[in-house]
Amino acid sequence: MSDSKADFQRDTVLVTGSSRGIGEAIATRLAHDGFNIVIHCRASMDKAEALKQRLDERGAATRILCFDVADRAACKAALESDIEANGVYYGVVCNAGVANDGAFPALSGQAWDEVVHTNLDSFYNVLSPLVMPMVRRRKPGRIVTIASVSGLIGNRGQTNYSASKAGIIGATKSLAIELAKRAITVNCVAPGLIETEMIEDAPIDRIMDTIPLRRLGTPQEVAAVVSFLVSAESSYITRQVISVNGGLC
């Protein structure tokens, strides 16, 4: 089974957590690339609707799904209903995530559970209802997960976040092996310090000295890498982790 550009015209991509930040940039870039976009949010419907309006004005075909990626039953119901009504996705970008930082001795069970259930469990919750329909589609497909530099090297005060993102990397690599013979590639993008709301409380001045490029990344720079991994040109790339971190390691 070979990929061709014709296979990718006007296909649909789900981008979880796409109402803001990196997810919004990814949805915007993929719409520009010519894909139909399923915008996802947990609660920020106003932001999702604003994004939908912007993308629709540019000629994209979009729709919105609203559910909590940590809620397995809600994921299954929303996603199965959507593909029954609108057809199978060829692409999924698992971007939705949260952080709840704190030194490990003081880290509450609630902070651990919130981050792990949202960031790691969502890998299963979102992809489990979608993988077999993608396989039965019998066409090339793309799955891209969003991890973090914290999942690769760890970070002070982020034991829960680092654990969840490292888990995503391992799950991505395993799923890539299982789906390779179906021409469905599975790759991971690991951003570093990106200009989003998530880093508002981070000690930027101290961290900047550890980044060789001496600047923060932008959501659009992450989206550009996702765009390539979703494209037909990436058909021989799978099971990889691509860092977008300015040289931070």
Side-chain angles (χ1 to χ4, degrees):
M1 188 185 302
S2 62
D3 291 359
S4 69
K5 290 185 178 180
D7 291 322
F8 293 82
Q9 298 305 306
R10 306 310 304 176
D11 272 327
T12 298
V13 180
L14 164 68
V15 183
T16 67
S18 47
S19 64
R20 60 183 182 175
I22 291 174
E24 179 183 356
I26 291 170
T28 301
R29 175 61 183 260
L30 294 181
H32 179 269
D33 291 344
F35 296 107
N36 298 330
I37 304 298
V38 180
I39 299 166
H40 162 263
C41 66
R42 181 180 63 177
S44 303
M45 182 59 77
D46 55 337
K47 294 181 179 180
E49 289 176 343
L51 174 61
K52 174 176 170 55
Q53 181 176 347
R54 290 197 300 273
L55 298 186
D56 287 349
E57 288 173 351
R58 299 176 188 178
T62 65
R63 57 186 183 271
I64 299 172
L65 293 182
C66 187
F67 58 87
D68 185 349
V69 294
D71 185 332
R72 187 164 299 163
C75 286
K76 180 178 174 67
L79 294 171
E80 289 184 347
S81 176
D82 188 60
I83 62 175
E84 181 177 357
N86 299 290
V88 179
Y89 314 141
Y90 106 90
V92 184
V93 181
C94 295
N95 166 76
V98 298
N100 192 340
D101 297 349
F104 187 78
L107 193 68
S108 69
Q110 184 273 333
W112 179 274
D113 290 343
E114 176 192 12
V115 170
V116 172
H117 290 327
T118 300
N119 295 354
L120 181 54
D121 289 2
S122 63
F123 179 97
Y124 178 86
N125 296 346
V126 170
L127 292 178
S128 179
L130 301 180
V131 164
M132 282 313 299
M134 291 176 71
V135 168
R136 288 192 291 266
R137 186 171 176 263
R138 296 184 179 277
K139 291 183 178 181
R142 299 285 185 267
I143 294 172
V144 180
T145 62
I146 306 298
S148 169
V149 66
S150 294
L152 291 168
I153 64 174
N155 191 29
R156 183 187 298 274
Q158 287 194 319
T159 303
N160 52 353
Y161 187 75
S162 297
S164 68
K165 293 299 187 177
I168 286 173
I169 291 170
T172 298
K173 287 178 174 287
S174 293
L175 185 60
I177 299 171
E178 295 186 20
L179 296 182
K181 65 181 178 182
R182 306 292 186 175
I184 299 172
T185 65
V186 189
N187 291 290
C188 183
V189 175
L193 220 62
I194 307 298
E195 293 176 353
T196 66
E197 295 176 8
M198 189 172 284
I199 68 163
E200 287 180 349
D201 297 325
I204 303 300
D205 292 340
R206 177 173 59 81
I207 297 173
M208 198 67 70
D209 291 337
T210 69
I211 304 174
L213 284 181
R214 291 295 190 273
R215 67 173 178 86
L216 303 180
T218 68
Q220 290 72 28
E221 288 171 316
V222 178
V225 176
V226 175
S227 171
F228 172 67
L229 292 174
V230 168
S231 73
E233 286 77 8
S234 69
S235 59
Y236 199 56
I237 300 173
T238 196
R239 205 185 177 198
Q240 302 305 304
V241 180
I242 300 179
S243 295
V244 185
N245 62 21
L248 177 65
C249 57

